[in-house]
Amino acid sequence: MLIKKPADIPPSEITPETIYRERRHFIQGAAALAALAALPTQAALPAYKKGLYGTTEPANSLKEITSYNNFYEFGTDKSDPAANAYTLRTRPWTVSIEGACRRPKTWDIDALTQAFPLEERIYRLRCVEGWSMVIPWLGFPLASLLQQVEPTANAKYVEFVTLQDPKQMPGQRRPILDWPYLEGLRLDEAMHPLTLMAVGLYGQELPKQNGAPIRLVVPWKYGFKSAKSIVKIRLVERQPVSSWMRAAPREYGFYSNVNPEVDHPRWSQAKERRIGEFLKRPTLMFNGYGEQVAHLYAGLDLRKYY
Ligand SMILES: Nc1nc2c(c(=O)[nH]1)N[C@H]1C(S)=C(S)[C@@H](COP(=O)(O)O)O[C@H]1N2
Ligand SMILES: [Mo]
């Protein structure tokens, strides 16, 4: 459970004992309960296990992971999301899974987080701009969720839709992208055991700048495929047109697999700079996950299908 019901929490767990005693002077009875419910709680996630697909590379620090972000809904500078994402309201929050499936369902985010066992997956994230990080995600395989809705034979692709609300997301007041942020995967990519729905990192609830309360993580693709703050997942027959494909079709294809041999028109993809390091390191095919995913693209011309 992400947030415990107030009745289950001893007040001492929410505020230091002294503060709680001071509050008692002026809060009584039902009013006290209401006030407790309104207090910010340190979000606790259910127990989790270490995943099978982690890397042994050292993870970036929490500070690095939460202060250098791409989340254009909150501005285009790397420091903007950390400064601006506080306006995002992550409760109540629902995720609808719809389209070509027998059992479409709208999940409450807390029920969703409890429904699937959480795993820690330490994944490399490679941004198409040429930097990378190692992030200890907490999440569950997207496949577990998709199996529940029973995709039909018409489900060939999966579309991911970020929240659209310019009141909460100031970046959406400007036409930087065709909002809401939209991404897509082929069904077999979505069902791959590496593909994660992340609800936390470093053992805690996902920080807002990293895509709270739930975001996609596809570690062998460029970072922009990993859509943040998702409200809708649609099973569809036709290949989705992502926000980046729509904005710059010559620069962004549907697949967007990390590939050191196929350059982006503006950035070489041969090397990358790990955040926190000075020297660049070579970029690995499929971001180093080739052994697990290369078979998905057997026979596909990766220069054409970039
Ligand atoms: N909704 C949304 N999702 C998004 C983005 C965005 O601008 N909006 N940026 C993408 C890009 S370019 C990257 S590199 C990753 C960055 O994830 P992080 O900030 O958690 O490291 O998020 C991706 N997901
Ligand atoms: Mo990115």
Side-chain angles (χ1 to χ4, degrees):
M1 208 196 304
L2 285 169
I3 295 179
K4 295 191 239 176
K5 281 194 258 80
D8 300 342
I9 311 175
S12 56
E13 229 184 77
I14 300 173
T15 53
E17 198 71 39
T18 46
I19 299 174
Y20 179 66
R21 268 199 221 102
E22 281 165 29
R23 283 178 205 277
R24 280 174 67 184
H25 292 308
F26 56 88
I27 307 175
Q28 306 268 318
L33 267 180
L36 280 178
L39 288 173
T41 55
Q42 175 69 335
L45 286 162
Y48 59 89
K49 58 172 183 168
K50 292 259 174 193
L52 299 170
Y53 301 96
T55 161
T56 52
E57 285 174 35
N60 281 90
S61 69
L62 181 63
K63 175 100 184 137
E64 288 165 335
I65 293 168
T66 56
S67 58
Y68 192 90
N69 303 97
N70 272 338
F71 199 169
Y72 277 18
E73 285 85 340
F74 296 103
T76 52
D77 286 350
K78 297 287 173 278
S79 56
D80 283 344
N84 301 332
Y86 68 92
T87 53
L88 179 66
R89 290 193 310 271
T90 58
R91 296 294 185 289
W93 189 281
T94 57
V95 182
S96 307
I97 304 159
E98 53 186 57
C101 59
R102 279 179 208 93
R103 299 178 187 279
K105 178 163 177 168
T106 298
W107 285 89
D108 173 74
I109 185 63
D110 294 312
L112 181 56
T113 302
Q114 286 176 73
F116 303 97
L118 295 188
E119 293 174 31
E120 180 169 72
R121 299 274 187 91
I122 304 173
Y123 281 161
R124 285 181 286 274
L125 181 141
R126 169 61 157 82
C127 179
V128 73
E129 296 162 347
W131 52 269
S132 66
M133 287 201 212
V134 176
I135 302 179
W137 301 109
L138 285 180
F140 53 87
L142 172 60
S144 316
L145 185 55
L146 293 180
Q147 272 152 12
Q148 279 220 345
V149 300
E150 298 179 19
T152 64
N154 289 336
K156 303 281 198 305
Y157 296 90
V158 188
E159 206 170 73
F160 303 87
V161 188
T162 291
L163 176 72
Q164 174 154 39
D165 183 354
K167 286 207 188 78
Q168 297 182 56
M169 297 178 144
Q172 291 181 336
R173 293 172 209 159
R174 292 188 295 145
I176 309 161
L177 285 171
D178 201 359
W179 309 113
Y181 195 95
L182 228 149
E183 261 306 338
L185 295 172
R186 225 168 53 188
L187 185 65
D188 60 344
E189 298 176 323
M191 297 297 279
H192 192 282
L194 283 178
T195 304
L196 208 66
M197 294 308 296
V199 295
L201 61 82
Y202 267 119
Q204 283 296 315
E205 226 183 22
L206 214 51
K208 291 182 176 178
Q209 58 266 44
N210 296 93
I214 187 163
R215 59 92 58 82
L216 178 67
V217 183
V218 196
W220 70 94
K221 293 178 181 283
Y222 293 115
F224 62 83
K225 296 297 282 184
S226 296
K228 295 177 169 180
S229 305
I230 289 171
V231 292
K232 201 174 295 222
I233 299 175
R234 269 196 296 256
L235 291 146
V236 295
E237 185 154 19
R238 306 249 308 268
Q239 184 174 290
V241 179
S242 69
S243 295
W244 285 111
M245 289 165 76
R246 199 177 290 280
R250 219 176 60 80
E251 299 190 14
Y252 303 101
F254 175 76
Y255 284 93
S256 310
N257 292 316
V258 173
N259 187 341
E261 284 157 27
V262 178
D263 285 339
H264 180 277
R266 287 182 283 139
W267 304 293
S268 162
Q269 298 302 338
K271 289 184 176 178
E272 68 199 57
R273 193 176 71 82
R274 180 67 44 85
I275 296 304
E277 293 180 2
F278 181 68
L279 292 175
K280 288 187 177 179
R281 57 173 69 209
T283 285
L284 304 173
M285 188 63 201
F286 297 115
N287 203 22
Y289 301 95
E291 224 170 277
Q292 291 105 308
V293 303
H295 69 274
L296 297 173
Y297 310 103
L300 199 71
D301 179 353
L302 297 176
R303 278 185 187 280
K304 186 167 172 215
Y305 296 96
Y306 56 87

